[in-house]
Amino acid sequence: MRDYKSYAEEVKKDEWPFFDLPHPNGSRRKIGSQAFRRLQNLSRRIVSNDPRLAGRVGNETFFQVFSREVSAQIFSDGGIDEGQLVEFCIASALQECIAPRTHFVPCVLPNYNGISKFNIGPVRFIKKGDFFSGKICGDFIDYYGDLERAKGFYERQNWVASVRVDGFDKKKAQERAFLFARLAIASIKVKLDQGLAQWLGTERQSFPNLRNYSFVSESNNLEMGKVALGWEQKFVLNSDNKSVEHLRSESSRAWFLLIGAFLDRIIGIPDWSFLESKIVTALIWSDIGGSPISNAERIVAFSNCLEALFVTHESGKKSQLVERSRLFLEYAGWRPDYNSRVSNFYSKRCDIVHGEEMPLRPELREFAEVGKYFSDICVEGFVNFAYWLLMKHRDEGTKQHLRPFNGRSSFDKAMREELPIFFERLSSPLHPAPPAPTYPRNPWEI
């Protein structure tokens, strides 16, 4: 229409937003809101129903390919074969959008003299100074534009986590890279007390320049004096800090190898199993509890961590949590007559979330510290138990539908029947612990 007012009236009457499709000649053609929504819904259905795309390619990414190819078919002279069109769009999306990508995540970790690189599964940690002084990946420079800008983005962290992700589009690969860096750091926090753990994290979690500070202002009459910004402690843990020395002990090394093998196993899987989802969720809540939040929030986070590990049914959550964590805690040295403290801890969590407890009470600190102890022991023990159980049933040739942790019923059965056997074998010198995991690693790390 040449008459703009008439055109505006038509747009208003038919609720036409300015959505458009790419035209084969390079221009754009406007379409109505209903047509746009129908295309989006079709795209969403294709992504969710096709196993090649589900969990690997986001709807936003696929829609760019889908709308382009639909537009080309609409404005062509030939007919449209729907099956061939969908299949072509899927093939195009897989070819154009999925590629191996390495992501670099700035993070805060302890410093050790002489240690500049270490791995926890698919996550390679590189000390920031060595990272910038060495050969920088081209993708890294391309993303930030130039080296100085990149250095500014990483200014307040002391390590860089390098995570290679294959089999996902760009957005999902980035999300997975940040998640796995976070999970690896969460496994380090499991080995540290609350005061040290809260300083660790990725750049999305840990902001040392914005927390744990105090302002001191000095004024003389009406003239404002200096304003000093002081830290309660250094955000970089130094190599002479004995409180983190046990991170290099044999027990810590065994734990990092085990959790690393688990992360290696699941990083390329778009849809995790019942067991894998439980462990990932527990690590996330453990990480949140070990972050710079209030004691009330820590109590909720650590109780959620324990729920993720042990709770299957809505009814009787406390009894499931107390009973299933008991063996882990007792094996670690927790006295059986202290088991009521697990129940008290969970009751305190319920009081907080239901608004019956003042969230700023100083006595909550003790409950938060107890919660961290509980969750640290149980996360590490649960991962060891899960590995032992899966190896046992794999070796015995257990049928797929009878394997543990396939769902709620098999989970209940494993906790009821297999968990006591696991601890019995751990306590017996005749039944040594299983060997270190041998899941295949990514070729780039070997």
Side-chain angles (χ1 to χ4, degrees):
M1 296 183 179
R2 300 192 179 195
D3 183 353
Y4 177 77
K5 290 184 178 180
S6 298
Y7 175 71
E9 287 297 322
E10 290 294 326
V11 169
K12 183 177 179 181
K13 181 177 65 177
D14 291 342
E15 298 180 351
W16 276 37
F18 287 93
F19 297 128
D20 53 18
L21 288 179
H23 192 274
N25 66 10
S27 63
R28 311 286 295 186
R29 297 298 170 93
K30 304 297 179 185
I31 64 173
S33 58
Q34 292 187 23
F36 186 78
R37 284 196 295 268
R38 288 182 66 187
L39 281 178
Q40 281 192 318
N41 289 335
L42 282 170
S43 174
R44 204 172 286 114
R45 287 173 59 187
I46 294 170
V47 170
S48 61
N49 292 332
D50 192 281
R52 293 166 293 178
L53 300 177
R56 297 188 180 277
V57 177
N59 183 59
E60 182 179 347
T61 301
F62 181 74
F63 184 73
Q64 294 179 354
V65 176
F66 183 61
S67 60
R68 181 191 71 201
E69 300 303 331
V70 168
S71 178
Q73 290 288 324
I74 290 175
F75 294 112
S76 67
D77 296 331
I80 298 178
D81 186 310
E82 296 171 359
Q84 290 184 1
L85 175 61
V86 170
E87 190 64 29
F88 181 77
C89 290
I90 293 173
S92 299
L94 294 174
Q95 182 177 3
E96 296 175 22
C97 305
I98 291 183
R101 294 178 175 89
T102 300
H103 295 269
F104 304 94
V105 184
C107 52
V108 177
L109 292 173
N111 271 337
Y112 278 115
N113 289 332
I115 296 181
S116 59
K117 297 178 183 178
F118 68 94
N119 286 24
I120 297 180
V123 185
R124 172 175 293 179
F125 294 101
I126 309 168
K127 190 172 286 189
K128 185 172 69 172
D130 292 9
F131 179 80
F132 283 115
S133 63
K135 183 179 180 181
I136 308 296
C137 178
D139 293 341
F140 180 79
I141 296 298
D142 292 342
Y143 185 82
Y144 291 103
D146 58 75
L147 184 58
E148 292 305 316
R149 183 182 176 189
K151 287 183 177 179
F153 181 69
Y154 288 68
E155 180 181 3
R156 293 179 175 86
Q157 285 78 27
N158 60 338
W159 289 79
V160 176
S162 172
V163 189
R164 184 177 175 85
V165 182
D166 191 6
F168 300 87
D169 66 25
K170 186 175 182 179
K171 183 178 180 181
K172 286 189 174 293
Q174 184 187 52
E175 292 174 349
R176 187 153 290 218
F178 272 87
L179 173 61
F180 275 70
R182 182 181 186 183
L183 296 176
I185 294 174
S187 72
I188 299 176
K189 290 185 177 185
V190 166
K191 291 293 185 177
L192 297 175
D193 62 38
Q194 176 63 54
L196 297 173
Q198 69 172 336
W199 291 92
L200 309 185
T202 67
E203 128 279 355
R204 290 187 178 181
Q205 306 161 254
S206 178
F207 297 91
N209 58 320
L210 298 179
R211 58 182 174 80
N212 287 354
Y213 61 83
S214 59
F215 282 108
V216 180
S217 176
E218 299 177 356
S219 60
N220 186 9
N221 295 330
L222 297 178
E223 296 181 4
M224 181 61 70
K226 295 181 179 180
V227 177
L229 182 64
W231 296 106
E232 294 178 4
Q233 74 178 89
K234 294 181 180 179
F235 79 93
V236 177
L237 306 178
N238 295 319
S239 58
D240 58 353
N241 192 336
K242 298 301 182 184
S243 58
V244 297
E245 191 67 29
H246 64 280
L247 290 177
R248 297 194 289 183
S249 66
E250 287 300 318
S251 63
S252 294
R253 285 170 54 85
W255 162 241
F256 294 139
L257 284 172
L258 183 66
I259 199 68
F262 170 73
L263 297 180
D264 261 331
R265 180 184 182 184
I266 68 170
I267 191 170
I269 301 175
D271 188 19
W272 294 324
S273 68
F274 182 86
L275 168 64
E276 293 158 352
S277 296
K278 271 190 167 293
I279 295 176
V280 169
T281 304
L283 283 170
I284 291 174
W285 281 114
S286 173
D287 174 70
I288 293 173
S291 299
I293 56 180
S294 70
N295 288 318
E297 292 170 300
R298 290 189 184 106
I299 292 170
V300 175
F302 290 135
S303 65
N304 288 348
C305 171
L306 296 173
E307 280 194 20
L309 292 177
F310 299 123
V311 173
T312 308
H313 305 290
E314 284 297 318
S315 60
K317 286 184 178 180
K318 184 194 293 188
S319 61
Q320 294 176 69
L321 189 151
V322 173
E323 184 62 29
R324 292 172 174 177
S325 65
R326 177 177 58 83
L327 291 175
F328 292 99
L329 296 172
E330 289 181 1
Y331 182 80
W334 184 258
R335 291 172 52 182
D337 55 325
Y338 285 174
N339 284 340
S340 60
R341 298 190 67 178
V342 183
S343 178
N344 294 340
F345 165 76
Y346 194 73
S347 295
K348 184 62 66 175
R349 175 261 188 194
C350 293
D351 291 342
I352 292 171
V353 298
H354 297 152
E356 300 174 10
E357 175 73 42
M358 175 67 178
L360 298 178
R361 294 188 185 278
E363 56 266 26
L364 293 182
R365 178 178 180 181
E366 179 183 353
F367 284 93
E369 292 174 351
V370 168
K372 187 173 192 314
Y373 174 80
F374 289 166
S375 62
D376 289 350
I377 293 296
C378 291
V379 165
E380 186 173 357
F382 188 91
V383 175
N384 275 276
F385 171 56
Y387 169 71
W388 173 82
L389 198 56
L390 292 176
M391 291 294 291
K392 172 186 174 182
H393 284 271
R394 185 183 69 178
D395 293 340
E396 293 180 358
T398 305
K399 293 182 179 180
Q400 181 68 29
H401 71 282
L402 296 177
R403 290 183 182 179
F405 298 129
N406 273 8
R408 293 184 176 184
S409 59
S410 62
F411 177 85
D412 289 333
K413 182 179 179 181
M415 299 299 289
R416 183 176 63 254
E417 299 179 1
E418 302 274 15
L419 189 58
I421 300 174
F422 170 68
F423 283 107
E424 180 183 344
R425 295 198 174 190
L426 280 182
S427 304
S428 172
L430 298 179
H431 298 88
T438 55
Y439 297 125
R441 300 175 66 82
N442 293 328
W444 75 285
E445 288 194 0
I446 297 177

